[in-house]
């Protein structure tokens, strides 16, 4: 691993650790509990490792499909191991598809209006 890659990896780990710390702090405030530094570090490390596994799986799925880009179907495949995550991602995917359809129909309407005004 090059120095730049190692530095990037360390920065990503630090960002995950920071975010986990903030989430634990917020949850602790909401529920009147505290989290030790060791617990926060363990959660952050576990989260980072799981993200690494997800990233490798996503790359493998897209490569298997002979694509160079990860798409929503790849993400759904990764999420299948967790029913709650799978349901959440499926719902988000449907929401995004509906939003995209609304945007596309709006574009079509504006194009149709432009064409009619030219005539």
């Amino acid at each position: 691993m090059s120095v730049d890659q190692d530095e990037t990896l360390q920065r990503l780990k630090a960002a995950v650790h920071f975010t986990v710390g903030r989430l634990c702090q917020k949850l602790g405030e909401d529920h009147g509990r505290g989290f030790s530094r060791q617990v926060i570090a363990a959660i952050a490390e576990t989260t980072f490792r799981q993200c690494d596994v997800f990233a490798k799986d996503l790359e493998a799925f897209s490569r298997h499909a002979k694509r160079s880009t990860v798409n929503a179907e790849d993400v759904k495949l990764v999420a299948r191991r967790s029913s709650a995550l799978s349901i959440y991602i499926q719902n988000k995917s449907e929401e995004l598809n509906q939003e995209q359809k609304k945007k596309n129909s709006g574009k079509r309407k504006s194009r149709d209006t432009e064409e009619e005004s030219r005539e």
Side-chain angles (χ1 to χ4, degrees):
M1 187 180 303
S2 74
V3 175
D4 286 343
Q5 288 175 328
D6 189 46
E7 185 178 309
T8 300
L9 184 66
Q10 292 305 315
R11 291 180 71 197
L12 282 171
K13 281 187 176 185
V16 169
H17 185 67
F18 176 78
T19 303
V20 167
R22 295 293 298 248
L23 288 168
C24 288
Q25 181 182 16
K26 176 75 171 119
L27 284 169
E29 290 170 1
D30 291 349
H31 298 285
R33 304 277 178 180
F35 293 86
S36 70
R37 291 178 188 253
Q38 293 85 1
V39 168
I40 292 171
I43 293 170
E45 183 64 25
T46 302
T47 301
F48 191 82
R49 288 182 185 185
Q50 189 61 51
C51 287
D52 188 50
V53 170
F54 284 164
K56 289 176 182 171
D57 285 350
L58 289 169
E59 287 177 341
F61 294 151
S62 65
R63 199 175 319 115
H64 177 75
K66 295 178 178 55
R67 287 183 276 102
S68 60
T69 305
V70 172
N71 67 21
E73 295 306 312
D74 300 325
V75 175
K76 290 176 190 175
L77 281 172
V78 165
R80 76 189 185 284
R81 294 180 190 142
S82 166
S83 60
L85 181 59
S86 184
I87 290 167
Y88 178 81
I89 288 177
Q90 184 65 36
N91 290 339
K92 279 294 179 189
S93 177
E94 290 171 6
E95 284 177 28
L96 291 171
N97 285 338
Q98 289 174 356
E99 287 177 17
Q100 191 65 32
K101 285 179 184 176
K102 287 179 184 177
K103 286 181 182 178
N104 288 342
S105 67
K107 287 179 183 177
R108 270 190 236 115
K109 287 179 184 176
S110 65
R111 278 190 226 136
D112 291 345
T113 306
E114 284 179 21
E115 288 175 5
E116 288 173 5
S117 65
R118 288 182 199 157
E119 294 173 356

